[in-house]
Amino acid sequence: MKRIVSAQEAVSHIHDGATVMIAGFLNAPETLIDALVDSKVKDLTIISNDTCYENQGIGKLIAKRQVKKVITCHIGTNPETQRQMLAGELEVQIVPMGTLVEQVRAGGSGLGGFLTPTGVGTIAAEGKQVIEVNGKTYLLELPLRADVALIQASIADRSGNLFHRKTTRNWSPTMAMAADLVIAQTNEIVDLGDLEPDIVHTPGIFIDYLVQKERSEAHVG
């Protein structure tokens, strides 16, 4: 059985300076993020697909200045992220999406890194080791891990096995493998046996805490 806890109790395990992976694609586990905003924890490094919008998802953490660095693929929908970056108030590392997800997958799989041709000859290659294999040039990309991952699911059973519908699947199974502590926000929690094994996308072995999504939250997945 996994511990089913409040969002406040779950995020109490996140401390100043922590590295936090947050799943989603222009959406996020809002119940967990709202609790993280209320906790006033600061100096976070966030690894995510995007920084969402100014007043939504990860954007709330940016607006409250709780983030010192973000490693992401996209900041185009959040003017506040752009403003803080240009003012030198927030470190932003932009990574091609395929590269970022593979870095997270490598971190969760215990790999030392991987080779990709993406970014060769561009600004993305700065500071990275360049390797030639059979006459082709690659960049060595290193794995990424986090202290905590905040992921989302549509249905969870009491062992933490997760079914992801629609956008709740974006990044969640991959990030669940790459963090020391994994907190899953879910729409619904069911008894053991109610979730068919064939539809489990994230096995419960990766999950530490389950949090029920707040009813007032906009429905996603």
Side-chain angles (χ1 to χ4, degrees):
M1 293 289 184
K2 298 299 175 185
R3 290 193 61 192
I4 302 172
V5 299
S6 67
Q8 290 74 23
E9 181 179 349
V11 303
S12 70
H13 299 281
I14 303 175
H15 304 290
D16 291 351
T19 297
V20 183
M21 290 180 177
I22 302 180
F25 195 113
L26 288 177
N27 65 64
E30 296 282 351
T31 297
L32 295 176
I33 288 179
D34 286 346
L36 196 55
V37 170
D38 290 341
S39 77
K40 296 183 171 50
V41 68
K42 62 182 185 302
D43 295 330
L44 300 174
T45 294
I46 300 295
I47 301 172
S48 65
N49 178 77
D50 51 74
T51 58
C52 205
Y53 302 98
E54 217 165 348
N55 298 308
Q56 182 178 330
I58 298 165
K60 298 174 186 174
L61 293 168
I62 301 286
K64 293 289 185 180
R65 298 178 177 274
Q66 292 173 273
V67 182
K68 69 174 182 181
K69 179 178 181 179
V70 61
I71 302 172
T72 186
C73 311
H74 173 65
I75 61 171
T77 52
N78 189 331
E80 179 60 16
T81 301
Q82 300 168 39
R83 192 200 66 74
Q84 290 187 24
M85 179 185 71
L86 294 174
E89 300 167 356
L90 173 68
E91 182 180 352
V92 177
Q93 182 178 343
I94 299 292
V95 183
M97 189 181 298
T99 297
L100 184 58
V101 72
E102 189 66 5
Q103 285 182 288
V104 175
R105 192 191 71 82
S109 302
L111 302 178
F114 64 96
L115 300 179
T116 175
T118 302
V120 170
T122 73
I123 192 173
E126 292 182 358
K128 295 177 182 173
Q129 188 173 350
V130 178
I131 297 175
E132 286 203 8
V133 179
N134 295 329
K136 189 167 183 177
T137 303
Y138 299 90
L139 301 182
L140 172 62
E141 297 285 357
L142 301 179
L144 286 175
R145 288 191 58 84
D147 299 308
V148 182
L150 306 181
I151 67 172
Q152 49 190 337
S154 302
I155 305 174
D157 70 17
R158 295 184 183 278
S159 283
N161 297 302
L162 306 181
F163 165 68
H164 306 279
R165 183 180 295 118
K166 300 179 180 177
T167 55
T168 66
R169 193 169 179 176
N170 288 112
W171 294 85
S172 291
T174 308
M175 288 183 170
M177 296 172 59
D180 297 336
L181 183 82
V182 180
I183 303 168
Q185 170 191 303
T186 182
N187 296 357
E188 182 181 1
I189 299 174
V190 299
D191 289 330
L192 292 179
D194 287 352
L195 198 59
E196 288 291 334
D198 287 345
I199 64 169
V200 171
H201 298 123
T202 302
I205 193 172
F206 295 113
I207 309 303
D208 295 289
Y209 294 107
L210 289 173
V211 172
Q212 179 82 50
K213 178 173 145 181
E214 291 182 356
R215 296 292 183 187
S216 59
E217 189 174 318
H219 181 75
V220 177

